[in-house]
Amino acid sequence: MMKNEKTAKLPVPRGARPGQPGDRSAFGFEISTQLPGHHGRTGMIRTPHGDIRTPAFVPVATQGTMKAVLPEQMEALGAQCMLSNAFHLFERPGEDILDAAGGLNEFMHWDKPTYTDSGGFQVLSLGAGFKKTLAMDTEGKKSDDVIAKGKNRLAFVDEDGVTFKSPLNGAQKRFSAEISMQIQHKIGADIMFAFDELTTLMNTRHYQEKSVERTFRWAKRCIAEHEKLTAERTGKPYQALFGVVQGANYEDLRRKAASQIGSLGFDGFGIGGAIEKRIIGDICSWICDELPEGKPRHVLGIAAVDDIFACVENGGDTFDCVAPARTARNGAVYTRDGRWNVKRSAMRNDFRPIEDGCDCYTCKNYSRAYVCHLLHAGEMAGATLATIHNERFFIRLLDDIRASIDGGYFTEFKNDTLSRFYAHGSRG
């Protein structure tokens, strides 16, 4: 019988000083190559747990793990960082447990940078009942009381914060700017987001205006609480705080929100909210016109291939989305020739890899027929293999985009990639 070996402890993060607040200089951003005529650029984000070369894809480890894939496997795929959900970690196992474990990195045994979102998206999903609202058709449907079909409102927004019913047990709970900061500090990610109100494209212009101002007021409260907790929680590495820009599809509101949030001294910025697909690049450009140039910008919840190119070109540095992993569990796989379903009957006798030339573990070792079989059989390994491929696709896509900017051939690479990916339709 083999003797169990204790896993090596993670390296001490940069800027953690015994008895002292975290050293803010351990976080930073440097621009490498500017895309001519656009806001797009390559660069490097420095964090206490390592560097992130940008543009970069940030896989989503919602509950402190990528579903069906171990952190060690994500590292082998080339993931530079991962993002976890503060709301879900608050629900379980609880932020105190993560704090006692030494923070998110120690808890999930991941020695690279981590992000946590603020819980603002759950305000939308628990309140209006919608999931991602990108490209929602809103014609004739403007309403501030709109609810998704078959849903009940579980969250209610007021000036101080949000009261909601837990989707796990129905208990009434409360989030505010201060509570979000307290939770995220205990979770301990390298980069966290200010608490914001995410609206839908169905909300009226009047409500969007009020929401932008409310998010600005919450942002100032987040900074105050963040500074207080940074000073109090000594011996910890510095956690960077990103402000979130809202404003839906309105150019003047997006510019106003960016100017407001950009004035507050955040370490970086999140581009969030409901965004209509047809103008996603324009929205990024409007925002980046107003934001400080020398700080990183994270585009929240984007993973369509054409959207990524549009956002990179117009100033996005990092991107996260659950779509690659979520669709993989249902058999949808991304390849250079588009998105298709590996569970189709034609795959049962197809012994080629999911994608010829792909360097992921799945494509090097397994066939379409095998992955198809596993998914139909309900075997967990099927979700693992499909997720490995999809996450590698997006990590590599952003790596290749970064190389194209540095190499001066971004436009050619964009046109060739999109032409090939969407040659057979618009999915993905």
Side-chain angles (χ1 to χ4, degrees):
M1 188 173 180
M2 292 183 66
K3 183 179 179 180
N4 291 329
E5 294 183 3
K6 187 175 180 180
T7 305
K9 190 173 178 64
L10 297 182
V12 175
R14 302 169 183 163
R17 305 173 297 181
Q20 297 293 320
D23 183 359
R24 190 173 184 177
S25 68
F27 180 86
F29 178 65
E30 298 172 358
I31 298 171
S32 299
T33 305
Q34 189 73 43
L35 190 61
H38 297 277
H39 288 295
R41 70 269 184 97
T42 65
M44 181 82 77
I45 301 173
R46 300 190 314 277
T47 83
H49 286 95
D51 299 333
I52 305 167
R53 293 169 296 152
T54 65
F57 185 69
V58 184
V60 179
T62 301
Q63 304 205 51
T65 180
M66 170 65 62
K67 283 184 172 62
V69 181
L70 291 171
E72 290 82 359
Q73 292 172 306
M74 292 305 301
E75 183 173 8
L77 289 174
Q80 301 184 70
C81 48
M82 287 200 281
L83 179 146
S84 292
N85 186 291
F87 174 85
H88 288 295
L89 292 176
F90 157 75
E91 286 272 83
R92 60 183 176 195
E95 69 276 16
D96 289 332
I97 288 177
L98 278 99
D99 198 23
L104 179 60
N105 288 79
E106 288 283 350
F107 191 60
M108 65 187 288
H109 197 251
W110 175 255
D111 65 359
K112 295 180 180 295
T114 52
Y115 292 64
T116 47
D117 61 7
S118 69
F121 177 72
Q122 279 62 45
V123 174
L124 167 72
S125 61
L126 293 176
F130 290 104
K131 294 183 180 179
K132 191 64 185 171
T133 56
L134 187 69
M136 180 185 291
D137 179 9
T138 62
E139 186 175 355
K141 297 179 182 177
K142 295 291 184 184
S143 172
D144 293 330
D145 296 315
V146 67
I147 302 290
K149 185 177 180 180
K151 298 287 185 178
N152 294 316
R153 187 174 292 275
L154 299 178
F156 298 87
V157 180
D158 56 52
E159 176 57 31
D160 183 64
V162 182
T163 301
F164 62 92
K165 290 184 179 179
S166 165
L168 288 181
N169 57 26
Q172 183 167 297
K173 298 187 178 181
R174 182 77 175 165
F175 258 45
S176 66
E178 291 77 15
I179 292 171
S180 178
M181 289 295 94
Q182 291 159 17
I183 291 168
Q184 291 190 79
H185 267 264
K186 287 186 175 181
I187 293 172
D190 295 286
I191 297 171
M192 53 189 180
F193 289 90
F195 191 58
D196 62 315
E197 182 186 8
L198 171 59
T199 59
T200 77
L201 292 177
M202 290 186 180
N203 287 109
T204 63
R205 162 78 190 213
H206 178 63
Y207 192 89
Q208 302 286 6
E209 292 171 351
K210 293 196 300 181
S211 180
V212 163
E213 293 298 331
R214 182 181 294 117
T215 290
F216 182 44
R217 291 191 292 272
W218 287 359
K220 289 185 281 188
R221 288 165 51 190
C222 282
I223 285 179
E225 187 68 12
H226 170 55
E227 291 175 348
K228 172 176 171 286
L229 293 169
T230 298
E232 291 176 352
R233 289 171 53 80
T234 59
K236 308 286 185 180
Y238 179 74
Q239 294 174 258
L241 179 59
F242 283 25
V244 181
V245 178
Q246 295 288 353
N249 282 351
Y250 300 99
E251 179 176 359
D252 61 327
L253 291 186
R254 285 288 184 176
R255 289 185 180 277
K256 178 180 181 180
S259 180
Q260 288 178 331
I261 298 298
S263 72
L264 294 181
F266 282 108
D267 298 297
F269 306 98
I271 297 173
I275 300 173
E276 197 168 359
K277 187 181 182 76
R278 65 180 177 84
I279 57 170
I280 192 168
D282 292 332
I283 290 174
C284 280
S285 183
W286 300 336
I287 291 168
C288 293
D289 280 346
E290 310 299 330
L291 289 177
E293 181 71 16
K295 294 185 178 182
R297 311 153 182 156
H298 181 86
V299 186
L300 290 147
I302 299 297
V305 173
D306 55 342
D307 293 338
I308 284 176
F309 274 101
C311 292
V312 166
E313 189 168 13
N314 290 285
D317 296 309
T318 51
F319 304 82
D320 78 274
C321 194
V322 298
R326 179 175 289 165
T327 57
R329 297 193 295 275
N330 294 315
V333 292
Y334 292 82
T335 73
R336 289 169 295 177
D337 294 302
R339 196 183 99 182
W340 46 272
N341 202 300
V342 75
K343 292 173 69 177
R344 295 182 317 203
S345 59
M347 299 297 107
R348 293 180 182 273
N349 296 301
D350 192 332
F351 302 108
R352 293 175 294 170
I354 290 174
E355 182 176 14
D356 289 328
C358 177
D359 61 1
C360 80
Y361 177 82
T362 301
C363 289
K364 284 183 174 180
N365 294 282
Y366 298 99
S367 67
R368 299 176 181 188
Y370 186 63
V371 177
C372 174
H373 158 67
L374 293 177
L375 289 168
H376 277 289
E379 291 288 347
M380 289 184 287
T384 297
L385 293 176
T387 302
I388 283 172
H389 173 79
N390 279 0
E391 293 296 330
R392 178 58 186 155
F393 174 88
F394 281 97
I395 290 166
R396 185 174 58 177
L397 175 65
L398 269 299
D399 289 348
D400 290 344
I401 289 174
R402 184 171 65 250
S404 77
I405 296 174
D406 284 335
Y409 56 92
F410 171 80
T411 301
E412 293 84 355
F413 179 70
K414 177 187 73 171
N415 292 340
D416 290 347
T417 301
L418 295 180
S419 177
R420 181 174 176 178
F421 187 85
Y422 292 107
H424 305 291
S426 61
R427 296 189 69 184

